[in-house]
Amino acid sequence: MTTNATSPGRARPERRRPGQDWSSWPTYESAVLGFRDHWYPVLWTEQVGRKPVAVTLLGEKIALVREGDEIHALHDRCPHRGVPLSLGRRQFPGTVSCPYHGWTYDLKDGNLCGVLTDGPDSPIKGRVKVRTYPVRQRFGLVWVYIGDGDPHPLDDDLPEELRRNALVIGGRTDIRKGNWRFAAENGFDEGHAKYLHNTALWRLFKVMPAWNKTRIVERGEWLVRVQDEVHWEADMPGLGLWTNKRWWKRMPLPDAPGKAQKANPVIKGLDLPGFVSIRMPGILRVAYPQFIHYEWYVPVDADNVRYVQLMVRFETGARAGLFKLKYLAAVRWLFHGQFTAQDAWMVDVMDAPPEKLYRPDLSLTAWRRKVEQSRPNVQPYKR
């Protein structure tokens, strides 16, 4: 005898309604490891020396090696027995040798140029090579290109204001738990800052809004969050007054960074309609009147993201030097530490889909649509 009834103790399978999963954004759903054909920041240049350094980028294992002023990137696997070249030795200039049997590769093109344990006439010499990756150095960072064919200029993947103006940078890089998409969505998320970050030391003396009415506009490569209404208090039916106002907190900035009286000329010239913007392949820009905070969400693998944070002031001379001191003394641990560590906490514990979105999540759906419309080259992922 058969029956269609659910057995005792077994829950019925949940039927997901449209919008609860990511089926509306198939490209985004498949982009577990991000997008090819882009430049990504991976390390500070000072972190790469003659000794090879291992990094993982979009799931690909890479060995970074310095030779003089140049930094080279090779696939971190010797074709002989699969030993990581990042464990290798620097026996000869311009080469790296596998630590197992001394297979020696040219740093520039990855060609096998010698086999130390098979003598000078080794027949396999010149018949094997490892993949190399294009590398650039900019803003004190090492940038690696993941893609096919000749890479486009690094400038194409950089915010225009960084390419055209004198500036000073304070920054931090970390590998954090969670998929890169959760990190990007957290950055552009409309609602979380008002609640998650209202306990952050960075916001200790600044009032956070209770809620906003927001829309998303497109400005070139960027999606921008625009605040049409900002509400500092809310009388919640059946609950009471919700507010972040305290006697020691000052009211914050206008609704766009360029509207402040002392806005930096470069930031004012951007004429941004809102503070927070995002663009491909996963770059966040949070503009304040005097500085801009950038975040690169660099895929490491399915469960980890390299979180590159840059705070930029468009200044030179003594003012730039003063900013560097202030950054190292306080901002680095207050903003790039404790404040964004709250974001890292959420990205780590987030578990979606399934999900049930609410009105402020228009920022997330706009970002997902932007990805679909961009028709990116998705990095393949095998479970």
Side-chain angles (χ1 to χ4, degrees):
M1 178 178 177
T2 61
T3 178
N4 291 327
T6 302
S7 301
R10 174 178 291 179
R12 293 181 182 274
E14 180 184 0
R15 292 185 179 180
R16 295 183 184 177
R17 297 178 180 177
Q20 288 188 337
D21 58 23
W22 289 359
S23 60
S24 298
W25 306 282
T27 300
Y28 192 69
E29 184 175 32
S30 66
V32 177
L33 296 178
F35 310 115
R36 298 177 62 79
D37 305 328
H38 285 284
W39 290 93
Y40 292 94
V42 289
L43 289 177
W44 299 107
T45 55
E46 64 193 27
Q47 294 178 286
V48 183
R50 280 185 48 83
K51 183 178 179 180
V53 178
V55 297
T56 304
L57 179 59
L58 277 63
E60 299 195 18
K61 304 292 186 180
I62 297 173
L64 297 175
V65 189
R66 177 181 292 278
E67 180 74 10
D69 292 334
E70 288 190 71
I71 294 177
H72 302 274
L74 299 87
H75 182 51
D76 195 12
R77 183 183 187 276
C78 178
H80 178 212
R81 301 299 303 277
V83 170
L85 290 177
S86 57
L87 301 177
R89 304 176 190 172
R90 301 296 308 281
Q91 299 290 163
F92 304 99
T95 70
V96 62
S97 299
C98 175
Y100 199 13
H101 298 89
W103 287 36
T104 300
Y105 301 91
D106 190 299
L107 295 178
K108 290 184 177 180
D109 57 21
N111 284 324
L112 180 65
C113 53
V115 182
L116 305 185
T117 55
D118 196 27
D121 62 346
S122 175
I124 200 170
K125 173 185 173 182
R127 300 176 62 184
V128 174
K129 69 182 304 182
V130 295
R131 180 182 176 181
T132 59
Y133 299 79
V135 178
R136 300 288 185 272
Q137 299 179 59
R138 193 78 169 270
F139 307 127
L141 287 163
V142 181
W143 301 75
V144 177
Y145 182 82
I146 298 290
D148 303 309
D150 294 330
H152 57 252
L154 172 59
D155 277 4
D156 291 357
D157 277 337
L158 296 176
E160 184 177 4
E161 63 272 15
L162 295 185
R163 308 192 311 251
R164 299 179 176 273
N165 298 285
L167 50 83
V168 59
I169 291 177
R172 183 170 184 164
T173 67
D174 302 278
I175 293 181
R176 298 180 171 184
K177 297 292 185 182
N179 188 257
W180 78 272
R181 293 167 299 180
F182 293 158
E185 290 182 350
N186 172 81
F188 199 50
D189 175 79
E190 159 62 23
H192 83 280
K194 303 172 186 62
Y195 193 76
L196 176 67
H197 292 314
N198 69 11
T199 61
L201 295 176
W202 179 257
R203 302 295 302 192
L204 182 62
F205 298 105
K206 301 173 186 176
V207 177
M208 297 289 284
W211 64 287
N212 293 347
K213 282 191 177 180
T214 303
R215 58 191 166 91
I216 308 298
V217 301
E218 194 160 1
R219 285 286 188 90
E221 297 288 331
W222 296 92
L223 295 178
V224 186
R225 276 188 2 219
V226 179
Q227 299 173 346
D228 288 329
E229 295 181 20
V230 180
H231 297 268
W232 303 103
E233 296 180 332
D235 189 6
M236 307 297 289
L239 298 174
L241 183 68
W242 161 240
T243 180
N244 186 241
K245 286 184 177 181
R246 301 293 186 270
W247 65 267
W248 67 85
K249 295 191 176 189
R250 62 179 175 84
M251 296 299 289
L253 308 166
D255 58 3
K259 292 183 179 181
Q261 290 183 347
K262 296 182 179 180
N264 178 277
V266 173
I267 297 173
K268 192 176 185 69
L270 293 175
D271 192 27
L272 297 172
F275 290 96
V276 184
S277 317
I278 196 169
R279 60 167 285 183
M280 294 286 286
I283 308 170
L284 188 79
R285 176 178 64 189
V286 185
Y288 295 85
Q290 294 297 324
F291 66 89
I292 299 182
H293 165 69
Y294 298 90
E295 298 178 1
W296 271 260
Y297 309 110
V298 182
V300 174
D301 52 33
D303 302 310
N304 296 277
V305 55
R306 186 178 295 275
Y307 197 70
V308 180
Q309 305 177 81
L310 301 182
M311 184 174 284
V312 177
R313 290 186 76 108
F314 300 97
E315 295 170 341
T316 57
R319 292 178 65 87
L322 184 61
F323 163 72
K324 289 290 287 187
L325 290 175
K326 183 179 179 181
Y327 177 81
L328 293 174
V331 174
R332 189 174 192 272
W333 71 270
L334 272 176
F335 189 52
H336 285 169
Q338 192 262 349
F339 184 87
T340 62
Q342 293 180 324
D343 296 312
W345 173 35
M346 291 295 100
V347 171
D348 182 19
V349 301
M350 199 178 305
D351 182 19
E355 59 190 10
K356 295 183 184 294
L357 303 183
Y358 76 142
R359 183 169 57 182
D361 287 330
L362 84 171
S363 57
L364 307 189
T365 54
W367 163 239
R368 295 171 185 178
R369 284 195 300 271
K370 176 71 171 178
V371 171
E372 298 298 321
Q373 293 165 2
S374 300
R375 298 174 181 258
N377 186 5
V378 174
Q379 176 79 335
Y381 170 62
K382 295 181 179 179
R383 295 182 184 277

